Amino acid sequence: MLHFLILLLLVPSALSEFTVILPDSTSPLIDSPQTGFSSHARTDPAEQQAVYQVMAATGNTWAGSIPDVCRGRWHGIECTPDTNDVYHVVSLSFGALSDDTAFPTCDTRAATLHPAILKLTHLRALFFYRCFVYNPQPVPPFLGKLGPALRSLVLRDNGHVGPIPAELGDLTSLKLLDLHGNHLTSSVPGSLSKLTRIRKLDLSNNRLTGGLPDLRSPDLNVLDLSRNFLQGRIRPSLARSVSLIKLDLSRNRLTGPIPDSLNSLENLMLLDLSHNSLSGPLPASLQGLSSLRALILKSNPMGPTRIPSNGLSGLKELSTLVLSNMGLNGPIPECIAELASLRVLHLDGNALNSSIPAGIGKLDKLSELRLENNLLTGMIPLGKEMIWKMGRNLKVDNNTGLCYDVADGVLKGVDSLSTISYCDPETTTPAAARTTQHLSLLIRGGSSQPPSSSSSSSSPSRCIIDHSWFGRVVAWFMICALLLL
Ligand SMILES: *[C@@H]1O[C@H](CO)[C@@H](O)[C@H](O)[C@H]1NC(C)=O
Ligand SMILES: *[C@@H]1O[C@H](CO)[C@@H](O)[C@H](O)[C@H]1NC(C)=O
């Protein structure tokens, strides 16, 4: 699974799209071979009738002509025999998720979820995808009675309306609950904190209101509540979910600061809090998230706040950093250039007013750099090779005083630099006469290091937070306390 995650994390456009498929043999998406097949075994008669009813209610009446549903099985039904040679239905799936997983599709104008499903007492996984789209109906509260065997409940892109039933909290063995892409309008029921084994909770793309849920599962890997109307603060207690790999709360109405405590989520690979109303400052402690691959905080109008001077440089694995449109001011810290794995860096639409740190020109994996709409000044410290490589993925226009070093190469056809003029060699400011002309731009060869206006040799030690003062302060307090006694 990690490889799957990493792969997708490297593709920025896929960040908000992908689904994590848990490596759980009960997952409805894994077409595992039927185990323990016995020529004598027959489907439990009560379950067989229930399957007929459930299938008919979705428009799949053809199933009624199959004499033994577990023996004449189709993609989308899984059964397991017990010691008495009786088959029990453990998994039912509907919907064409992909060409590989063509489960029975539903009659989207008439399908319903039949309560006979409660007779399937051995059910571990239930999966409905795009099933009730033109027959909108609430998520049936009776699903809460599905019992302790159920590990996986997926009701994805189904057109469900109304609330998330509090009864779903009774499914205490659930590892996966996916209600993505419906029209659910309630708050997230407090009862979901009873799901103490949940690993993936995806309630994204709904119309949920109220505050964030208080989840208590130590196994929670994936929490996706993005694209809802959730309000209030991010609870510091969220940091108890130490197994989190993906945390996506983007596109809600969250307020308040980003809690410092989140830095204890040391397995976290994706943190997306973008498009909310979170306030500053940007905690320097975020650099404790040592596994992080993508940090996306854009479009939180935080007001005047700075990028931490440590440049979040502890995030050694970080490949995507998106801090656009946040009201950031002050400098781009030199230390940001220590993020050696960076591929995507977006700092556009802020009020950053330093020069571009020279080290950014040495980030050899960088393939997308957006710095437009800031107050940046001085020489652009990127080699010709890097500029050609990035092409349209380099954006630097609308800055106060960025300019180009005059040197040996002619830069034709680089749209991203068409509004930038070359630097006056004396002052490292844009050559005034050229600012409005679209002349061929001259740049240095990629091999030589452009003399940056802030020509500092950034030493790594300046980028690491010094915690030792804290120890000293504590020691002083203890000595004082002892003296007073
Ligand atoms: C950059 O902006 C900050 C905050 O607005 C300001 O204090 C500082 O003087 C500015 N620096 C430069 C070089 O303009
Ligand atoms: C230039 O950037 C500033 C932010 O620094 C923004 O307010 C302004 O609208 C931008 N101008 C254009 C033409 O995009």
Side-chain angles (χ1 to χ4, degrees), residues 428-443:
T428 338
T429 55
R434 308 293 181 98
T435 44
T436 54
Q437 295 174 26
H438 294 259
L439 300 177
S440 307
L441 293 163
L442 303 171
I443 61 157

Side-chain angles (χ1 to χ4, degrees), residues 202-400:
D202 186 347
L203 307 178
S204 59
N205 280 49
N206 278 291
R207 296 172 191 164
L208 300 171
T209 55
L212 296 176
D214 186 17
L215 299 168
R216 309 257 171 88
S217 167
D219 301 325
L220 191 66
N221 286 157
V222 174
L223 178 60
D224 190 345
L225 304 175
S226 63
R227 294 170 192 266
N228 279 293
F229 303 129
L230 298 171
Q231 298 166 2
R233 293 168 168 248
I234 300 175
R235 297 166 192 262
S237 61
L238 188 60
R240 283 187 312 217
S241 302
V242 289
S243 304
L244 271 176
I245 292 171
K246 171 182 170 178
L247 175 58
D248 190 348
L249 305 177
S250 64
R251 295 183 190 269
N252 278 291
R253 296 171 179 174
L254 302 174
T255 51
I258 299 173
D260 261 324
S261 60
L262 291 193
N263 70 355
S264 61
L265 298 175
E266 55 186 35
N267 297 303
L268 199 63
M269 293 170 73
L270 168 70
L271 176 58
D272 190 345
L273 305 176
S274 62
H275 295 275
N276 278 293
S277 299
L278 298 171
S279 52
L282 210 50
S285 60
L286 281 177
Q287 77 163 356
L289 298 170
S290 54
S291 301
L292 209 61
R293 305 296 199 274
L295 176 59
I296 303 173
L297 304 177
K298 72 174 171 184
S299 300
N300 278 289
M302 288 195 168
T305 184
R306 293 182 173 224
I307 302 176
S309 63
N310 62 28
L312 304 172
S313 57
L315 303 176
K316 294 299 177 208
E317 311 289 334
L318 199 71
S319 72
T320 299
L321 178 59
V322 178
L323 305 177
S324 316
N325 304 316
M326 293 176 66
L328 299 174
N329 66 15
I332 302 178
E334 303 272 340
C335 294
I336 211 166
E338 297 207 355
L339 298 171
S341 306
L342 264 194
R343 290 166 193 269
V344 174
L345 176 60
H346 291 187
L347 301 175
D348 53 290
N350 287 300
L352 299 168
N353 64 357
S354 63
S355 57
I356 303 174
I360 287 185
K362 293 180 194 157
L363 292 171
D364 54 3
K365 295 192 177 132
L366 197 65
S367 59
E368 206 176 305
L369 177 62
R370 296 188 56 166
L371 301 173
E372 74 272 23
N373 304 333
N374 274 296
L375 306 170
L376 297 169
T377 57
M379 189 179 292
I380 298 173
L382 306 179
K384 189 167 62 170
E385 306 273 314
M386 196 174 203
I387 287 169
W388 278 115
K389 191 180 78 177
M390 286 199 265
R392 287 168 192 273
N393 292 327
L394 172 65
K395 292 206 168 83
V396 290
D397 50 293
N398 187 21
N399 276 289
T400 330

Side-chain angles (χ1 to χ4, degrees), residues 20-32 74-78 90-95 97 100-103 123-129 150-155 176 178:
V20 173
I21 295 167
L22 296 175
D24 182 342
S25 60
T26 62
S27 163
L29 301 184
I30 296 168
D31 189 27
S32 52
W74 57 87
H75 261 331
I77 183 168
E78 298 291 337
V90 294
S91 164
L92 267 189
S93 303
F94 297 85
L97 190 62
D100 298 336
T101 50
F103 303 131
L123 206 60
R124 290 185 210 146
L126 188 59
F127 181 97
F128 284 91
Y129 174 64
L150 199 73
R151 302 281 189 275
S152 169
L153 177 60
V154 177
L155 302 171
L176 166 60
D178 183 346

